[in-house]
Amino acid sequence: MKLASLKEGGRDGTLIVVSRDLARAVKASAIAPTLQAALDDWSNAAPRLNALSEDLNAGNAADAFALDMHALASPLPRAYEFVDGSAYLPHVERVRRARGAEVPKSFYTDPLMYQATSAGFLGPRDPVVVPSEDFGIDLEAEVVVVTDDVPMAATPAQASEHIQLVGLINDVSLRGLIPGELAKGFGFLQSKPRSALSPVLVTPDELGDAWQGDKLHLPMRTWLNGAWFGEAECGVDMQFSFAELVAHVAKTRPLTAGTIVGSGTIANEDTGKGASCLAEQRTVETLRDGHPSTPFLKFGDRLKIDVTDAGGASIFGSIEQQVEPHKA
């Protein structure tokens, strides 16, 4: 099934079930008012939501309406946790090589992860608002999963059973602020503003054979100002599966239902697939030419992120955003 949230109904939106073709939707208020409420009681809510989804896709859902992407909030307008990883090591390897540094051996066995911003997520058509272009505005096209309650010290096999939803995210990064923050040795803060989730989150069974080994096996397609930017393969060169990432986070603490876990920027060894963030493209250019030639995002720039099935139909709906200046 596919789940989304309308902007109406307060800070956590109103839960809706969306048809497989993303054309129709129906409110799920009788089952759960919000997606967070559904996740809090997932074992009871999921079968009922699935039944409503079947009715919707069969054309039998009462009060179904045409889906308007602009009316959607983030599926989870806010979350208890968003923990992001960097599971695609070709990206890490290239960035460090451009600096003349090697990748520590531990990176191949111990995931890189950090506690990200979760107090609010942008809707899939909301603008990316930043105070200054000088901050080095970048997109990062990633895959995310959402869990139910995960017990402390869960193994990867156990963690896999707690992955309930899959989606996309534009993990906005301000590259000009990152070096100074990392130099303090305390992690990201100002360099990681709010990100945007895909219009819908889907259950893994909705993905069929494209979900194997707790990885999404489809290309991540990105466009900038209408021009092709990349289509890196999500299932290739991912060092750690989502089950391994979830287990890593849960090593010393339980995870609350609604926890979002990100893959990190999709990147392949094959640079012919393009890039999923500007920092990656600039690194490829630096290694090839000695300097970057692609600029970071400017006000007025437009981005699009999407994943499609074998027939070319969007699975999660596309993230489409414009970069705009903050107005006090």
Side-chain angles (χ1 to χ4, degrees), residues 99 114 175 177-189 191:
R99 299 202 316 254
Y114 71 96
R175 301 295 182 183
L177 303 181
I178 288 177
E181 290 199 321
L182 293 184
K184 295 178 180 179
F186 224 54
F188 303 116
L189 183 65
S191 56

Side-chain angles (χ1 to χ4, degrees), residues 89 102-110 239-240:
L89 292 190
E102 294 184 358
V103 177
K105 291 182 180 179
S106 63
F107 283 23
Y108 295 92
T109 57
D110 193 33
Q239 184 74 12
F240 305 98

Side-chain angles (χ1 to χ4, degrees), residues 197-242:
L197 290 171
S198 50
V200 305
L201 299 174
V202 312
T203 49
D205 61 344
E206 192 74 29
L207 299 168
D209 291 341
W211 184 256
Q212 295 184 40
D214 297 300
K215 299 178 182 180
L216 179 64
H217 294 267
L218 289 169
M220 177 71 74
R221 305 184 189 278
T222 54
W223 296 263
L224 292 178
N225 296 318
W228 179 90
F229 184 68
E231 51 183 313
E233 292 287 343
C234 299
V236 176
D237 299 319
M238 187 178 186
Q239 184 74 12
F240 305 98
S241 71
F242 276 107

Side-chain angles (χ1 to χ4, degrees), residues 13-174:
T14 297
L15 177 62
I16 58 174
V17 175
V18 178
S19 62
R20 189 162 287 115
D21 62 2
L22 304 177
R24 307 280 290 170
V26 62
K27 290 184 179 180
S29 305
I31 300 170
T34 66
L35 180 52
Q36 183 60 56
L39 287 161
D40 286 340
D41 189 29
W42 190 249
S43 61
N44 291 318
R48 298 171 65 195
L49 290 170
N50 191 62
L52 182 57
S53 174
E54 291 178 358
D55 286 343
L56 178 64
N57 284 302
N60 298 325
D63 301 319
F65 55 89
L67 184 66
D68 176 7
M69 293 291 182
H70 293 275
L72 295 181
S74 167
L76 278 170
R78 53 183 175 174
Y80 289 111
E81 284 199 81
F82 170 29
V83 187
D84 203 11
S86 188
Y88 293 87
L89 292 190
H91 171 68
V92 179
E93 290 166 348
R94 279 193 285 267
V95 169
R96 293 182 74 88
R97 189 160 70 246
R99 299 202 316 254
E102 294 184 358
V103 177
K105 291 182 180 179
S106 63
F107 283 23
Y108 295 92
T109 57
D110 193 33
L112 281 170
M113 303 193 78
Y114 71 96
Q115 195 84 37
T117 302
S118 65
F121 291 92
L122 303 174
R125 297 293 186 274
D126 291 348
V128 176
V129 178
V130 180
S132 172
E133 292 178 342
D134 295 337
F135 291 166
I137 309 164
D138 200 354
L139 76 156
E140 289 193 54
E142 306 183 14
V143 181
V144 295
V145 298
V146 181
T147 72
D148 59 10
D149 290 301
V150 182
M152 183 191 303
T155 65
Q158 292 167 334
S160 177
E161 298 300 316
H162 293 282
I163 295 172
Q164 304 301 348
L165 297 169
V166 184
L168 311 179
I169 194 168
N170 175 22
D171 177 40
V172 182
S173 293
L174 304 179

